[in-house]
Amino acid sequence: METGARELVAPDFLSLTIGIVFFFVGVLITQRVEFLRRYSIPEPVTGGFVAALVFWALHIIFRVDVGFDMTTRDKLLVIFFATVGVNARLADLAAGGRVLGILCLVTVAFVFLQDTVGTVGAVLLGMPKAAGVVAGSMSLVGGHGTAIAWGPTIAAEHGFPAALESGIAVATVSLIIASLLGGPLAKFLIERNQVAVPGTDPEDGELPPEADAAPIDKMGVMRAMLAVNVAVILGYLAHAWLTETTGITLPLFVPCLIAGILLSNTVPVLLPRLRWPAHTPALELLSSYALSIFLAMSLMSMQLWTLAGSAADLFLLVAVQTVVAATYIVLVVFPALGQNYQAAVLSGGFTGLSLGSTPTAIASMSAITKRYGPSPNAFVILPLVSAFFVDIVNVGAITLFLRL
């Protein structure tokens, strides 16, 4: 925040309400802009980015910096991944096991490629070599969380005092790019390779009927909420146990996702007469709400004015990393995953994995499947890769390149 600017922080409930408002702003804009529909740009991305521009204008004109309490936003992320778990069936996961393994391998290779590109670019631009990690997997694959965690250490020990600020700036710019790139890239892969899709891609650019247009009753919603809440409770307990007894620290959404999977594959077997909410419009409603509002709130909270003072060299590195990521997806990820519809959906999500965050990846895949048709395994495979493998590999890659 610049000197002289007044800071206002919206409380949690107001922050949630503002997020909902700008989600609908995104919906209205998407309905009127054919480009956004054709290239599957998620409505909350559009609305959240418009909000960020509005708050940037408030900063410039009135010298007011608007911040937000994001307590509910973080809970929505956990709820969303619990719905993904409740919707998952082991039979589907077994069918996607080979794809899961391949995606792990290509992701690991990409993390090291990203740091190699960043380090070489930093050296060529005359920057400290540690800047290559900051403009590499630390901020791109790792996102804001990893940038904040590693920034002070790099600033203190590796000759790059602006590591924290630069990491946050790089993560913010790449998040915007990832939000806009996933849909167009998947569309390119589907159309260039004439991939067979389960839905219809109307030539006039209109979206197919939304899932939440299906009949939804009160009991269905209540069953879905109960299943999701139980999965979240079990996930919280598992997360606390892992942290206290093993020292393993995972994002909270991971055990909640796994708890949902376990519930969805045991409860219907043990209680066959119970109406389990998997693959119901009610569960889809909860899932869509949680993800949409999470993403809108995340993007609206970006303080875009903080990017103006960032070094142009860092943004040049981000541009190069974007080209490398897109090329890698087209030439490596999509062919390795089978060049089918699921591969195209995962490739669209890989933009979020490589340049943004897991929620960004899920939002891109949601927009893609909303236009072309369902690909349920993709929504389980990619979060498992991003949660279990990427963070561990990223720590190793960052450590290695800082020591070189």
Side-chain angles (χ1 to χ4, degrees):
M1 184 178 66
E2 297 178 16
T3 304
R6 186 161 56 99
E7 185 175 15
L8 299 177
V9 179
D12 184 43
F13 190 78
L14 180 57
S15 298
L16 171 64
T17 305
I18 294 172
I20 295 173
V21 169
F22 278 102
F23 165 75
F24 281 109
V25 170
V27 171
L28 292 174
I29 294 174
T30 301
Q31 289 175 345
R32 288 163 173 75
V33 180
E34 192 272 341
F35 170 84
L36 298 175
R37 299 195 305 274
R38 181 170 295 277
Y39 289 97
S40 303
I41 305 301
E43 293 98 334
V45 169
T46 303
F49 190 64
V50 169
L53 292 175
V54 169
F55 297 127
W56 191 7
L58 290 177
H59 168 80
I60 295 173
I61 299 172
F62 298 105
R63 308 293 299 154
V64 173
D65 294 346
V66 180
F68 302 93
D69 182 338
M70 291 297 185
T71 302
T72 296
R73 182 204 65 170
D74 297 338
K75 293 178 181 178
L76 289 174
L77 178 65
V78 172
I79 291 171
F80 168 73
F81 279 105
T83 66
V84 172
V86 170
N87 229 14
R89 294 178 295 196
L90 287 179
D92 296 334
L93 292 177
R98 177 175 173 274
V99 174
L100 176 63
I102 293 174
L103 186 59
C104 288
L105 292 176
V106 298
T107 302
V108 169
F110 181 77
V111 170
F112 285 90
L113 173 63
Q114 200 167 62
D115 280 333
T116 300
V117 171
T119 301
V120 171
V123 171
L124 292 177
L125 292 171
M127 303 172 69
K129 282 191 289 186
V133 175
V134 173
S137 68
M138 186 191 89
S139 305
L140 300 178
V141 167
H144 288 84
T146 306
I148 293 171
W150 279 88
T153 300
I154 294 176
E157 301 177 8
H158 296 278
F160 189 36
L164 177 59
E165 295 78 6
S166 299
I168 293 173
V170 168
T172 302
V173 173
S174 65
L175 182 67
I176 296 171
I177 294 171
S179 301
L180 300 176
L181 185 60
L185 187 59
K187 181 178 187 295
F188 167 76
L189 291 172
I190 289 171
E191 295 183 354
R192 189 189 73 164
N193 296 278
Q194 298 182 339
V195 173
V197 297
T200 301
D201 182 9
E203 293 182 358
D204 62 1
E206 293 297 323
L207 296 174
E210 298 186 23
D212 58 5
I216 298 175
D217 58 36
K218 179 183 72 175
M219 295 305 295
V221 173
M222 297 301 290
R223 275 192 293 268
M225 290 178 64
L226 177 59
V228 170
N229 282 7
V230 172
V232 170
I233 290 171
L234 293 177
Y236 266 92
L237 293 175
H239 183 267
W241 178 82
L242 280 171
T243 303
E244 293 173 4
T245 62
T246 68
I248 297 174
T249 302
L250 290 173
L252 178 59
F253 72 79
V254 176
C256 294
L257 168 66
I258 295 174
I261 294 174
L262 293 176
L263 287 173
S264 195
N265 289 277
T266 54
V267 174
V269 175
L270 298 174
L271 302 171
R273 301 184 65 178
L274 181 68
R275 295 179 63 182
W276 189 249
H279 303 286
T280 61
L283 187 65
E284 171 63 23
L285 174 65
L286 294 181
S287 178
S288 297
Y289 169 79
L291 178 63
S292 296
I293 305 307
F294 170 87
L295 197 59
M297 293 179 72
S298 296
L299 291 177
M300 79 182 191
S301 65
M302 295 188 303
Q303 295 183 326
L304 296 178
W305 58 89
T306 63
L307 305 181
S310 301
D313 289 343
L314 283 174
F315 292 134
L316 176 60
L317 287 177
V318 172
V320 173
Q321 293 281 24
T322 301
V323 173
V324 170
T327 304
Y328 187 81
I329 291 170
V330 172
L331 299 182
V332 178
V333 176
F334 181 67
L337 296 180
Q339 301 189 79
N340 53 22
Y341 177 63
Q342 179 176 266
V345 174
L346 285 170
S347 295
F350 198 88
T351 59
L353 181 63
S354 59
L355 296 172
S357 63
T358 302
T360 306
I362 296 297
S364 295
M365 294 195 300
S366 296
I368 295 163
T369 55
K370 182 178 178 181
R371 177 177 177 81
Y372 293 103
S375 181
N377 281 355
F379 290 87
V380 177
I381 291 171
L382 190 138
L384 289 176
V385 173
S386 66
F388 282 114
F389 300 101
V390 168
D391 287 341
I392 296 173
V393 172
N394 200 16
V395 169
I398 293 170
T399 303
L400 174 64
F401 277 86
L402 288 176
R403 289 178 177 174
L404 289 177

